[in-house]
Amino acid sequence: MSTHTATARAARAIPAAVLAELRVTDDAGRACVPCTATDGDDPLRCCLRLSAPGERIALVSYAPLRRWAAETGAEPGAYDEQGPVFIHAEDCGGPAPSETYPFSRPGALRVLRRYDAAGRIVGGRLLELPETPADGFDRALAEAFADPAVVLVHVRAVEYGCFHFEVRRP
């Protein structure tokens, strides 16, 4: 068992400028409709933590590859997709410094989808998070970035297919 405490790669939250847009109109063209978290435990992609009961949140449609492609000039074509993500309904200041990967619990299933500079999928990996989730993520991300074609990895939940966070080539 590892004594690993810090992550080797940076998990990226949705950028503040993008969040400001999503809080008006999401990537599916729908108006943002805030609500109050009842039970909490909704994975917030703005600050990379779980919601708490009573927080104002919103479920919006987000197209992470499309947004990345707009920054980089990539043309993902048919690989462009959008899906639901939870965010705070108002600015939350983003993620606090952390030495762990977000939304990590031993036994959770994640898929790590790998993309090249053109925005095309060049591989993927199913990952069941081990007892020390950071070790599993570090190994899977090291494997992904060992391929020089990989510039971006999206981490998604298997159960719902939801985008959790992205990691870019350092």
Side-chain angles (χ1 to χ4, degrees):
M1 178 175 247
S2 170
T3 57
H4 187 111
T5 58
T7 60
R9 311 262 182 203
R12 296 173 60 104
I14 298 174
V18 173
L19 290 165
E21 294 173 9
L22 295 173
R23 289 182 179 117
V24 177
T25 305
D26 71 11
D27 285 346
R30 289 186 289 270
C32 180
V33 179
C35 64
T36 301
T38 51
D39 297 332
D41 292 338
D42 302 302
L44 298 165
R45 283 34 167 248
C46 49
C47 55
L48 300 180
R49 68 168 178 81
L50 298 175
S51 67
E55 285 189 291
R56 297 289 294 160
I57 62 172
L59 182 62
V60 298
S61 184
Y62 177 56
L65 191 61
R66 182 183 315 157
R67 296 285 187 156
W68 171 83
E71 279 180 41
T72 64
E75 294 288 338
Y79 292 104
D80 179 31
E81 61 183 333
Q82 63 192 32
V85 295
F86 288 101
I87 61 173
H88 275 112
E90 293 85 28
D91 182 19
C92 64
S98 176
E99 293 188 349
T100 62
Y101 290 100
F103 319 123
S104 296
R105 61 177 167 69
L109 297 175
R110 301 289 180 256
V111 65
L112 284 73
R113 197 175 297 163
R114 305 168 187 176
Y115 296 93
D116 66 12
R120 307 286 194 238
I121 294 175
V122 291
R125 183 181 196 289
L126 180 63
L127 174 65
E128 181 175 353
L129 296 179
E131 199 57 41
T132 306
D135 289 342
F137 273 123
D138 284 347
R139 282 190 299 275
L141 290 165
E143 174 188 295
F145 289 114
D147 178 347
V150 175
V151 299
L152 176 71
V153 175
H154 283 175
V155 176
R156 295 176 174 268
V158 171
E159 303 93 322
Y160 299 102
C162 296
F163 170 84
H164 274 203
F165 61 90
E166 73 179 30
V167 178
R168 296 183 182 185
R169 179 173 289 284

